[in-house]
Amino acid sequence: MRTTLHLRFPGIRSVLLKHFSRIADHRDRERIDHELKDVCMGALAMFCFQDPSLLQFQKRTKAPILGANLLNLWSIESVPSDTQMRTVMDEVDSSELEGLFTTFFRLLQRGKHLEPYRVLGRYYLCVINGGEYFSSDHIGCPFCLRRKVKKKQGGVLQFSQQIVQAAFPYFRLASYMWGSGSGRMDAERGVKGKVLAGSTRRRGLIGNC
């Protein structure tokens, strides 16, 4: 399937810049060295390039040619220091970023990229799983989960953060069918019954579109 223009990198970048520009910046305007949209785009660029640290990413942006290309690629006017980026991003409420999911989901729908993931013609099968992406015995914040873990030195308070991840599996209903005629129809009814029964038990697992 051909990728539509709004889902190529320039289109994605435009959507991100537009969204980040709408986030309220509560800092003192007279003391701002880096616009909030630049900080957000810089944080996303660092995540995409998977630099081992904020400091390493900043060094990358300071390289004469590579740095200029990087800033142009992401439409970033300036990149803050690692300390500044942490300070600014910590003040951005995560709810300010949630709208991006809906925006890109609608773009994928409009471009017909989600059609192969439909189930029974009308639904999307959404698989949800939870995972832990941070834990520490020493570093934590007010939003961290807390738990007591047993170690050699005794009980230790551990801080952690978890994430709920969702994915659309490529579900081939035909792979569950066999035979032809009445046998095929019985198999299809059986699979439909199991899928729909699961959607009743787990609300939200299959969403009507």
Side-chain angles (χ1 to χ4, degrees):
M1 180 181 293
R2 185 177 180 181
T3 304
T4 50
L5 290 175
H6 52 268
L7 287 174
R8 295 178 184 175
F9 184 75
I12 293 174
R13 180 183 59 198
S14 177
V15 171
L16 291 169
L17 281 171
K18 185 177 180 180
H19 187 91
F20 292 153
S21 298
R22 291 199 300 261
I23 298 177
D25 192 344
H26 302 291
R27 295 175 294 167
D28 185 352
R29 295 297 304 175
E30 295 182 357
R31 302 178 62 182
I32 291 178
D33 296 322
H34 308 280
E35 293 293 333
L36 183 58
K37 64 178 180 62
D38 289 330
V39 179
C40 292
M41 289 296 283
L44 184 61
M46 185 200 68
F47 177 80
C48 290
F49 284 106
Q50 297 186 345
D51 285 308
S53 66
L54 285 170
L55 183 60
Q56 190 65 36
F57 174 73
Q58 189 183 29
K59 289 181 178 179
R60 181 199 290 266
T61 63
K62 298 298 182 182
I65 298 178
L66 180 62
N69 290 339
L70 178 63
L71 297 182
N72 288 333
L73 178 66
W74 289 87
S75 295
I76 300 173
E77 295 180 10
S78 62
V79 178
S81 66
D82 56 330
T83 302
Q84 286 177 309
M85 184 175 287
R86 286 193 184 94
T87 301
V88 175
M89 291 304 299
D90 282 347
E91 295 300 319
V92 177
D93 194 323
S94 60
S95 62
E96 297 276 11
L97 306 176
E98 291 175 357
L100 281 171
F101 173 82
T102 303
T103 299
F104 283 114
F105 186 82
R106 296 303 182 196
L107 290 176
L108 287 169
Q109 279 188 316
R110 192 171 75 184
K112 305 295 183 182
H113 294 281
L114 297 180
E115 292 302 306
Y117 300 93
R118 285 183 181 270
V119 178
L120 306 180
R122 301 174 54 202
Y123 305 94
Y124 295 125
L125 179 64
C126 184
V127 179
I128 300 175
N129 188 27
E132 184 176 278
Y133 66 93
F134 169 81
S135 66
S136 173
D137 299 344
H138 309 289
I139 301 174
C141 74
F143 302 101
C144 282
L145 298 173
R146 292 167 171 78
R147 63 190 174 198
K148 283 285 186 69
V149 295
K150 292 183 179 180
K151 294 194 174 183
K152 291 182 179 180
Q153 61 269 35
V156 176
L157 180 63
Q158 189 175 78
F159 302 94
S160 66
Q161 292 191 5
Q162 298 181 347
I163 187 172
V164 175
Q165 304 167 89
F168 288 165
Y170 190 67
F171 185 76
R172 285 183 175 272
L173 187 62
S175 64
Y176 290 88
M177 301 177 186
W178 62 90
S180 59
S182 60
R184 181 185 178 92
M185 292 176 63
D186 290 341
E188 183 175 358
R189 291 194 193 99
V191 173
K192 284 185 178 180
K194 290 180 180 179
V195 173
L196 293 177
S199 69
T200 303
R201 290 194 300 270
R202 301 181 182 180
R203 293 185 180 275
L205 181 62
I206 298 181
N208 193 343
C209 57

Coordinates of all heavy atoms in Angstrom, one line a residue, residues 25-111:
D25 N 2.6 27.3 27.4 CA 3.9 27.5 28.0 C 3.8 28.5 29.2 O 3.6 29.6 28.9 CB 4.9 27.9 27.0 CG 6.4 27.8 27.5 OD1 6.5 27.7 28.7 OD2 7.3 27.9 26.7
H26 N 3.9 28.0 30.4 CA 3.7 28.8 31.6 C 5.0 29.5 32.1 O 5.0 30.1 33.1 CB 3.0 28.0 32.7 CG 1.7 27.4 32.3 ND1 0.6 28.1 32.1 CD2 1.4 26.1 32.1 CE1 -0.4 27.3 31.7 NE2 0.1 26.0 31.7
R27 N 6.0 29.4 31.3 CA 7.3 30.0 31.7 C 7.2 31.5 31.5 O 6.4 32.0 30.7 CB 8.5 29.4 31.0 CG 8.7 27.9 31.3 CD 9.8 27.4 30.4 NE 9.5 27.4 29.0 CZ 10.3 27.2 28.0 NH1 11.6 27.0 28.3 NH2 9.9 27.2 26.7
D28 N 8.1 32.2 32.2 CA 8.2 33.7 32.0 C 8.8 33.9 30.6 O 9.9 33.5 30.3 CB 9.1 34.3 33.1 CG 9.2 35.8 33.0 OD1 8.7 36.4 32.1 OD2 9.8 36.4 33.9
R29 N 8.0 34.6 29.8 CA 8.4 34.8 28.4 C 9.7 35.6 28.3 O 10.5 35.3 27.3 CB 7.3 35.7 27.6 CG 6.0 35.0 27.5 CD 6.1 33.7 26.6 NE 6.6 33.9 25.3 CZ 6.9 33.0 24.4 NH1 6.7 31.7 24.8 NH2 7.4 33.3 23.3
E30 N 10.0 36.4 29.2 CA 11.3 37.2 29.1 C 12.5 36.4 29.5 O 13.6 36.8 29.2 CB 11.2 38.4 30.1 CG 10.1 39.4 29.7 CD 10.1 40.6 30.6 OE1 10.9 40.6 31.6 OE2 9.3 41.5 30.4
R31 N 12.3 35.2 30.0 CA 13.4 34.3 30.4 C 13.5 33.1 29.6 O 14.2 32.1 29.9 CB 13.3 34.0 31.9 CG 13.2 35.2 32.8 CD 13.0 34.8 34.3 NE 14.2 34.1 34.8 CZ 14.2 33.6 36.0 NH1 13.2 33.8 36.8 NH2 15.3 32.9 36.4
I32 N 12.7 33.0 28.5 CA 12.7 31.8 27.7 C 13.8 31.9 26.7 O 13.9 32.8 25.9 CB 11.4 31.6 27.0 CG1 10.3 31.3 28.0 CG2 11.4 30.5 25.9 CD1 8.9 31.2 27.4
D33 N 14.7 30.9 26.7 CA 15.8 30.7 25.7 C 15.4 29.8 24.6 O 15.9 29.9 23.4 CB 17.1 30.3 26.3 CG 17.6 31.3 27.3 OD1 17.5 32.5 27.1 OD2 18.1 30.9 28.4
H34 N 14.5 28.8 24.9 CA 14.2 27.8 23.9 C 12.7 27.6 23.9 O 12.1 27.4 25.0 CB 14.8 26.4 24.2 CG 16.3 26.5 24.4 ND1 17.2 26.6 23.4 CD2 17.1 26.6 25.5 CE1 18.4 26.7 23.8 NE2 18.4 26.7 25.2
E35 N 12.0 27.8 22.7 CA 10.6 27.6 22.6 C 10.2 26.2 23.0 O 10.9 25.2 22.8 CB 10.1 27.9 21.2 CG 10.3 29.4 20.8 CD 9.4 30.3 21.6 OE1 8.3 29.9 22.1 OE2 9.8 31.5 21.7
L36 N 9.0 26.1 23.6 CA 8.5 24.8 24.1 C 8.4 23.8 22.9 O 8.8 22.6 23.1 CB 7.1 24.9 24.7 CG 6.5 23.7 25.3 CD1 7.5 23.1 26.4 CD2 5.2 24.0 26.0
K37 N 8.0 24.2 21.7 CA 7.9 23.3 20.6 C 9.3 22.7 20.2 O 9.4 21.6 19.8 CB 7.3 24.0 19.4 CG 8.0 25.1 18.8 CD 7.3 25.7 17.6 CE 8.1 26.8 17.0 NZ 9.4 26.4 16.5
D38 N 10.3 23.5 20.4 CA 11.7 23.1 20.1 C 12.1 22.1 21.1 O 12.8 21.1 20.8 CB 12.7 24.2 20.1 CG 12.5 25.1 18.8 OD1 12.0 24.6 17.8 OD2 12.8 26.4 18.9
V39 N 11.8 22.3 22.4 CA 12.1 21.3 23.4 C 11.4 20.0 23.2 O 12.1 18.9 23.3 CB 11.8 21.9 24.8 CG1 12.1 20.9 25.9 CG2 12.5 23.2 25.1
C40 N 10.2 20.1 22.8 CA 9.4 18.8 22.6 C 9.9 18.1 21.4 O 10.1 16.8 21.4 CB 7.9 19.1 22.4 SG 7.1 19.7 23.9
M41 N 10.2 18.8 20.3 CA 10.8 18.2 19.1 C 12.1 17.6 19.4 O 12.5 16.5 18.9 CB 10.8 19.2 18.0 CG 9.4 19.5 17.4 SD 8.6 18.1 16.6 CE 9.4 18.0 15.1
G42 N 12.9 18.3 20.2 CA 14.3 17.8 20.5 C 14.2 16.5 21.3 O 15.0 15.6 21.1
A43 N 13.2 16.5 22.3 CA 13.1 15.3 23.1 C 12.7 14.1 22.2 O 13.1 13.0 22.4 CB 12.0 15.5 24.2
L44 N 11.8 14.4 21.3 CA 11.3 13.3 20.4 C 12.5 12.8 19.4 O 12.6 11.6 19.2 CB 10.1 13.8 19.5 CG 9.5 12.8 18.6 CD1 8.9 11.6 19.4 CD2 8.4 13.4 17.8
A45 N 13.3 13.8 19.0 CA 14.4 13.4 18.1 C 15.4 12.6 18.9 O 15.9 11.6 18.3 CB 15.1 14.7 17.6
M46 N 15.7 12.9 20.1 CA 16.6 12.2 20.9 C 16.0 10.7 21.1 O 16.8 9.8 21.1 CB 16.8 12.8 22.3 CG 17.8 12.1 23.2 SD 17.6 12.5 24.9 CE 16.1 11.7 25.3
F47 N 14.7 10.6 21.3 CA 14.1 9.3 21.5 C 14.3 8.5 20.2 O 14.6 7.3 20.2 CB 12.6 9.5 21.8 CG 11.9 8.2 22.0 CD1 12.0 7.4 23.1 CD2 11.1 7.7 20.9 CE1 11.3 6.2 23.2 CE2 10.4 6.5 21.0 CZ 10.5 5.8 22.2
C48 N 14.0 9.1 19.1 CA 14.1 8.4 17.8 C 15.5 7.9 17.5 O 15.7 6.9 16.9 CB 13.6 9.3 16.7 SG 11.8 9.6 16.7
F49 N 16.5 8.8 17.8 CA 17.9 8.4 17.5 C 18.5 7.5 18.6 O 19.6 7.0 18.4 CB 18.8 9.7 17.4 CG 18.6 10.4 16.1 CD1 17.9 11.6 16.0 CD2 19.1 9.9 14.9 CE1 17.7 12.2 14.8 CE2 18.9 10.5 13.7 CZ 18.2 11.7 13.6
Q50 N 17.8 7.4 19.7 CA 18.1 6.5 20.8 C 19.5 6.7 21.3 O 20.3 5.8 21.5 CB 18.0 5.0 20.3 CG 16.6 4.6 20.0 CD 16.4 3.1 19.7 OE1 17.4 2.4 19.4 NE2 15.2 2.7 19.6
D51 N 19.8 8.0 21.5 CA 21.1 8.3 22.1 C 21.1 7.8 23.6 O 20.1 7.9 24.2 CB 21.3 9.8 22.1 CG 21.7 10.3 20.7 OD1 22.7 9.8 20.2 OD2 21.1 11.3 20.2
P52 N 22.2 7.4 24.1 CA 22.3 6.9 25.5 C 22.0 7.9 26.6 O 21.6 7.5 27.7 CB 23.7 6.3 25.6 CG 24.5 7.1 24.6 CD 23.6 7.4 23.4
S53 N 22.1 9.2 26.3 CA 21.8 10.2 27.3 C 21.5 11.5 26.6 O 21.7 11.7 25.4 CB 23.0 10.4 28.2 OG 24.1 10.9 27.4
L54 N 20.9 12.4 27.4 CA 20.6 13.7 26.9 C 21.9 14.5 26.5 O 21.9 15.2 25.5 CB 19.8 14.5 27.9 CG 18.3 14.2 28.2 CD1 17.8 14.9 29.4 CD2 17.5 14.5 27.0
L55 N 22.9 14.3 27.3 CA 24.2 14.9 27.0 C 24.8 14.5 25.7 O 25.3 15.3 24.9 CB 25.1 14.7 28.2 CG 26.5 15.4 28.1 CD1 26.3 16.9 28.0 CD2 27.4 14.9 29.2
Q56 N 24.6 13.2 25.4 CA 25.2 12.7 24.1 C 24.4 13.2 23.0 O 25.0 13.5 21.9 CB 25.1 11.1 24.1 CG 25.8 10.5 23.0 CD 27.3 10.7 23.0 OE1 27.9 10.7 24.1 NE2 27.9 10.8 21.9
F57 N 23.1 13.4 23.1 CA 22.3 13.9 22.1 C 22.6 15.4 21.8 O 22.7 15.9 20.7 CB 20.8 13.9 22.4 CG 19.9 14.6 21.4 CD1 19.6 14.0 20.2 CD2 19.3 15.8 21.8 CE1 18.8 14.7 19.3 CE2 18.4 16.4 20.9 CZ 18.2 15.9 19.7
Q58 N 22.9 16.1 22.9 CA 23.3 17.5 22.7 C 24.6 17.6 22.0 O 24.8 18.5 21.2 CB 23.4 18.2 24.1 CG 23.6 19.7 24.0 CD 23.7 20.3 25.4 OE1 24.2 19.7 26.3 NE2 23.3 21.6 25.5
K59 N 25.5 16.7 22.3 CA 26.8 16.7 21.6 C 26.6 16.5 20.1 O 27.3 17.1 19.2 CB 27.8 15.7 22.2 CG 28.3 16.0 23.5 CD 29.2 14.9 24.1 CE 29.8 15.3 25.4 NZ 30.7 14.2 26.0
R60 N 25.6 15.6 19.8 CA 25.3 15.3 18.4 C 24.9 16.6 17.6 O 25.2 16.9 16.5 CB 24.3 14.2 18.3 CG 23.9 13.8 16.8 CD 22.5 13.2 16.8 NE 22.6 11.8 17.4 CZ 22.7 10.7 16.8 NH1 22.9 10.7 15.5 NH2 22.7 9.6 17.4
T61 N 24.0 17.4 18.3 CA 23.5 18.6 17.7 C 24.6 19.7 17.5 O 24.4 20.6 16.8 CB 22.3 19.2 18.5 OG1 22.8 19.6 19.8 CG2 21.2 18.1 18.7
K62 N 25.7 19.6 18.3 CA 26.7 20.6 18.2 C 27.7 20.3 17.1 O 28.5 21.2 16.8 CB 27.5 20.7 19.6 CG 26.6 21.1 20.7 CD 26.0 22.5 20.5 CE 25.2 22.9 21.8 NZ 24.5 24.2 21.6
A63 N 27.7 19.1 16.5 CA 28.6 18.8 15.4 C 28.3 19.7 14.2 O 27.1 19.9 13.9 CB 28.4 17.3 15.0
P64 N 29.3 20.2 13.6 CA 29.1 21.2 12.5 C 28.1 20.9 11.5 O 27.2 21.6 11.2 CB 30.6 21.4 12.0 CG 31.5 21.0 13.1 CD 30.7 19.9 13.8
I65 N 28.3 19.8 10.8 CA 27.4 19.4 9.7 C 26.2 18.6 10.2 O 25.1 18.8 9.8 CB 28.2 18.7 8.6 CG1 29.3 19.6 8.0 CG2 27.3 18.2 7.5 CD1 30.2 18.9 7.0
L66 N 26.6 17.5 10.9 CA 25.5 16.6 11.4 C 24.5 17.4 12.2 O 23.3 17.2 12.1 CB 26.1 15.5 12.3 CG 25.1 14.5 12.8 CD1 24.4 13.8 11.7 CD2 25.9 13.5 13.7
G67 N 24.9 18.3 13.1 CA 24.0 19.1 13.9 C 23.1 19.9 13.1 O 21.9 20.0 13.4
A68 N 23.6 20.6 12.1 CA 22.8 21.5 11.3 C 21.7 20.6 10.5 O 20.6 21.0 10.4 CB 23.7 22.2 10.3
N69 N 22.2 19.5 10.0 CA 21.2 18.6 9.3 C 20.1 18.1 10.2 O 18.9 18.0 9.8 CB 21.9 17.4 8.6 CG 22.8 17.9 7.5 OD1 22.6 18.9 6.9 ND2 23.8 17.1 7.2
L70 N 20.5 17.8 11.4 CA 19.6 17.3 12.4 C 18.5 18.3 12.8 O 17.3 18.0 12.8 CB 20.3 16.8 13.7 CG 19.5 16.3 14.8 CD1 18.7 15.0 14.4 CD2 20.3 16.0 16.0
L71 N 19.0 19.5 13.0 CA 18.0 20.6 13.3 C 17.1 20.9 12.2 O 15.9 21.2 12.4 CB 18.8 21.8 13.8 CG 19.7 21.7 15.0 CD1 20.4 23.0 15.4 CD2 18.9 21.2 16.2
N72 N 17.6 20.9 11.0 CA 16.8 21.2 9.8 C 15.8 20.0 9.6 O 14.6 20.3 9.2 CB 17.6 21.3 8.5 CG 18.4 22.6 8.5 OD1 18.0 23.6 9.1 ND2 19.5 22.7 7.9
L73 N 16.2 18.8 9.8 CA 15.3 17.7 9.6 C 14.1 17.7 10.5 O 13.0 17.4 10.1 CB 16.1 16.4 9.8 CG 15.4 15.0 9.7 CD1 14.9 14.8 8.3 CD2 16.2 13.9 10.2
W74 N 14.4 18.1 11.8 CA 13.3 18.2 12.8 C 12.7 19.5 12.9 O 11.8 19.7 13.8 CB 13.8 17.6 14.1 CG 14.1 16.2 14.1 CD1 15.2 15.5 13.7 CD2 13.1 15.1 14.4 NE1 15.1 14.2 13.8 CE2 13.8 13.9 14.2 CE3 11.8 15.1 14.9 CZ2 13.2 12.7 14.5 CZ3 11.2 13.9 15.2 CH2 11.9 12.7 15.0
S75 N 13.1 20.5 12.1 CA 12.6 21.9 12.2 C 12.8 22.5 13.6 O 11.9 23.0 14.2 CB 11.1 22.0 11.8 OG 11.0 21.6 10.5
I76 N 14.0 22.3 14.2 CA 14.3 22.7 15.5 C 15.2 24.0 15.4 O 16.2 23.9 14.7 CB 15.0 21.6 16.4 CG1 14.1 20.4 16.5 CG2 15.4 22.2 17.7 CD1 14.8 19.2 17.1
E77 N 14.9 25.0 16.1 CA 15.7 26.2 16.0 C 16.8 26.2 17.0 O 17.9 26.7 16.8 CB 14.8 27.5 16.2 CG 13.7 27.7 15.1 CD 12.9 28.9 15.4 OE1 13.2 29.7 16.3 OE2 11.9 29.1 14.7
S78 N 16.6 25.6 18.2 CA 17.6 25.5 19.2 C 17.3 24.4 20.1 O 16.2 24.0 20.3 CB 17.7 26.8 20.0 OG 16.5 27.1 20.7
V79 N 18.4 23.8 20.7 CA 18.3 22.6 21.6 C 18.8 23.0 22.9 O 19.9 23.5 23.1 CB 19.1 21.4 21.0 CG1 19.0 20.2 22.0 CG2 18.5 21.0 19.7
P80 N 18.0 22.8 24.0 CA 18.4 23.2 25.3 C 19.5 22.2 25.9 O 19.6 21.1 25.3 CB 17.1 23.1 26.1 CG 16.3 22.1 25.4 CD 16.6 22.3 24.0
S81 N 20.1 22.5 26.9 CA 21.0 21.6 27.6 C 20.2 20.5 28.2 O 19.0 20.5 28.3 CB 21.8 22.4 28.7 OG 20.9 22.7 29.7
D82 N 20.9 19.4 28.6 CA 20.3 18.3 29.2 C 19.5 18.6 30.4 O 18.3 18.2 30.6 CB 21.2 17.1 29.4 CG 22.4 17.6 30.4 OD1 22.7 18.8 30.3 OD2 22.9 16.7 31.1
T83 N 20.0 19.5 31.2 CA 19.3 19.9 32.5 C 18.1 20.8 32.1 O 17.0 20.5 32.7 CB 20.3 20.8 33.4 OG1 21.4 20.0 33.7 CG2 19.6 21.2 34.6
Q84 N 18.2 21.7 31.2 CA 17.1 22.5 30.8 C 15.9 21.6 30.2 O 14.8 21.8 30.4 CB 17.5 23.5 29.7 CG 18.3 24.7 30.3 CD 18.8 25.7 29.2 OE1 19.4 25.3 28.2 NE2 18.5 26.9 29.4
M85 N 16.3 20.6 29.3 CA 15.3 19.8 28.7 C 14.5 19.0 29.8 O 13.3 18.9 29.7 CB 16.0 18.8 27.7 CG 14.9 18.0 26.9 SD 15.6 17.0 25.7 CE 16.1 18.2 24.4
R86 N 15.2 18.5 30.7 CA 14.6 17.8 31.8 C 13.6 18.7 32.6 O 12.5 18.3 32.9 CB 15.6 17.2 32.8 CG 16.4 16.0 32.3 CD 17.1 15.3 33.4 NE 17.9 14.2 33.0 CZ 19.2 14.3 32.7 NH1 19.8 15.5 32.8 NH2 19.9 13.3 32.2
T87 N 14.1 19.9 32.9 CA 13.3 20.8 33.7 C 12.0 21.2 32.9 O 10.9 21.2 33.5 CB 14.1 22.1 34.0 OG1 15.3 21.7 34.7 CG2 13.3 23.0 34.8
V88 N 12.2 21.5 31.6 CA 11.0 22.0 30.8 C 10.0 20.8 30.6 O 8.8 20.9 30.8 CB 11.5 22.6 29.5 CG1 10.3 22.9 28.6 CG2 12.3 23.8 29.7
M89 N 10.5 19.6 30.2 CA 9.7 18.5 29.9 C 8.9 18.0 31.1 O 7.8 17.5 31.0 CB 10.5 17.4 29.2 CG 11.0 17.7 27.8 SD 9.6 18.2 26.7 CE 8.6 16.7 26.7
D90 N 9.6 18.1 32.3 CA 8.9 17.7 33.5 C 7.6 18.5 33.8 O 6.7 18.0 34.5 CB 9.9 17.8 34.7 CG 10.9 16.6 34.7 OD1 10.6 15.6 34.0 OD2 11.9 16.7 35.5
E91 N 7.6 19.7 33.3 CA 6.5 20.6 33.6 C 5.3 20.4 32.6 O 4.2 21.0 32.7 CB 6.9 22.0 33.6 CG 7.9 22.4 34.7 CD 7.3 22.2 36.0 OE1 6.1 22.5 36.2 OE2 8.0 21.7 36.9
V92 N 5.6 19.6 31.5 CA 4.5 19.4 30.5 C 3.6 18.2 31.0 O 4.1 17.1 31.2 CB 5.1 19.0 29.1 CG1 4.1 18.7 28.1 CG2 6.0 20.2 28.6
D93 N 2.4 18.5 31.1 CA 1.4 17.5 31.5 C 1.2 16.5 30.4 O 1.0 16.8 29.2 CB 0.1 18.1 31.8 CG -0.9 17.2 32.6 OD1 -0.9 16.0 32.3 OD2 -1.6 17.7 33.5
S94 N 1.3 15.2 30.7 CA 1.2 14.2 29.7 C -0.1 14.2 29.0 O -0.2 13.8 27.8 CB 1.5 12.8 30.3 OG 0.5 12.5 31.3
S95 N -1.1 14.7 29.6 CA -2.4 14.8 28.9 C -2.4 15.7 27.7 O -3.2 15.6 26.8 CB -3.5 15.3 29.9 OG -3.2 16.6 30.4
E96 N -1.4 16.6 27.7 CA -1.3 17.6 26.6 C -0.8 16.8 25.3 O -1.0 17.3 24.2 CB -0.2 18.6 26.9 CG -0.6 19.5 28.1 CD -1.5 20.7 27.7 OE1 -2.0 20.7 26.5 OE2 -1.6 21.6 28.5
L97 N -0.3 15.6 25.5 CA 0.2 14.9 24.3 C -0.8 13.8 23.8 O -0.6 13.2 22.8 CB 1.5 14.2 24.7 CG 2.6 15.1 25.2 CD1 3.8 14.3 25.6 CD2 3.0 16.2 24.2
E98 N -1.8 13.6 24.6 CA -2.7 12.5 24.3 C -3.5 12.7 23.0 O -3.8 11.7 22.3 CB -3.8 12.3 25.4 CG -3.1 11.7 26.7 CD -4.1 11.7 27.9 OE1 -5.3 12.1 27.7 OE2 -3.7 11.2 29.0
G99 N -3.7 13.9 22.6 CA -4.4 14.2 21.4 C -3.7 13.7 20.1 O -4.3 13.5 19.1
L100 N -2.4 13.6 20.2 CA -1.6 13.1 19.1 C -2.0 11.7 18.7 O -2.0 11.4 17.5 CB -0.1 13.1 19.4 CG 0.6 14.5 19.3 CD1 2.0 14.4 19.9 CD2 0.6 15.0 17.9
F101 N -2.4 10.9 19.6 CA -2.8 9.5 19.3 C -4.0 9.5 18.4 O -4.1 8.9 17.4 CB -3.1 8.7 20.6 CG -3.7 7.3 20.3 CD1 -2.9 6.3 20.0 CD2 -5.1 7.1 20.3 CE1 -3.4 5.0 19.7 CE2 -5.6 5.9 20.1 CZ -4.8 4.8 19.7
T102 N -5.0 10.3 18.8 CA -6.3 10.4 18.0 C -6.0 11.0 16.6 O -6.5 10.5 15.6 CB -7.3 11.3 18.7 OG1 -7.5 10.8 20.0 CG2 -8.6 11.3 18.0
T103 N -5.1 12.0 16.6 CA -4.8 12.6 15.3 C -4.2 11.6 14.3 O -4.6 11.5 13.2 CB -3.8 13.8 15.5 OG1 -4.4 14.8 16.3 CG2 -3.5 14.4 14.1
F104 N -3.2 10.9 14.8 CA -2.5 9.9 13.9 C -3.4 8.7 13.6 O -3.3 8.1 12.5 CB -1.2 9.5 14.5 CG -0.1 10.5 14.3 CD1 0.4 11.1 15.4 CD2 0.4 10.9 13.1 CE1 1.4 12.1 15.3 CE2 1.3 11.8 12.9 CZ 1.9 12.4 14.0
F105 N -4.2 8.3 14.5 CA -5.2 7.2 14.3 C -6.1 7.6 13.2 O -6.4 6.8 12.3 CB -5.9 6.9 15.6 CG -6.8 5.7 15.5 CD1 -6.3 4.4 15.6 CD2 -8.1 5.8 15.2 CE1 -7.0 3.3 15.5 CE2 -9.0 4.6 15.1 CZ -8.4 3.4 15.3
R106 N -6.6 8.8 13.2 CA -7.5 9.2 12.1 C -6.8 9.3 10.8 O -7.4 9.0 9.7 CB -8.1 10.6 12.5 CG -9.0 10.6 13.7 CD -10.2 9.6 13.6 NE -11.0 9.7 14.8 CZ -11.9 8.7 15.1 NH1 -12.0 7.7 14.3 NH2 -12.6 8.8 16.2
L107 N -5.6 9.7 10.8 CA -4.8 9.8 9.6 C -4.6 8.4 9.0 O -4.7 8.2 7.8 CB -3.5 10.5 9.8 CG -3.5 12.0 10.1 CD1 -2.1 12.5 10.4 CD2 -4.1 12.8 8.9
L108 N -4.3 7.4 9.8 CA -4.2 6.1 9.4 C -5.5 5.5 8.8 O -5.5 4.8 7.8 CB -3.7 5.2 10.5 CG -2.3 5.4 11.0 CD1 -2.0 4.6 12.3 CD2 -1.3 4.8 9.9
Q109 N -6.6 5.9 9.5 CA -7.9 5.4 9.0 C -8.2 6.1 7.6 O -8.6 5.4 6.7 CB -9.0 5.8 10.0 CG -9.2 4.9 11.1 CD -10.4 5.2 12.0 OE1 -10.6 6.4 12.3 NE2 -11.1 4.2 12.4
R110 N -7.9 7.4 7.5 CA -8.2 8.1 6.3 C -7.4 7.5 5.1 O -7.8 7.5 4.0 CB -7.9 9.6 6.4 CG -8.5 10.4 5.3 CD -8.4 11.9 5.6 NE -7.0 12.4 5.6 CZ -6.6 13.6 5.9 NH1 -7.5 14.4 6.4 NH2 -5.4 14.0 5.8
G111 N -6.2 7.1 5.4 CA -5.3 6.5 4.4 C -5.5 5.1 4.1 O -4.8 4.4 3.4

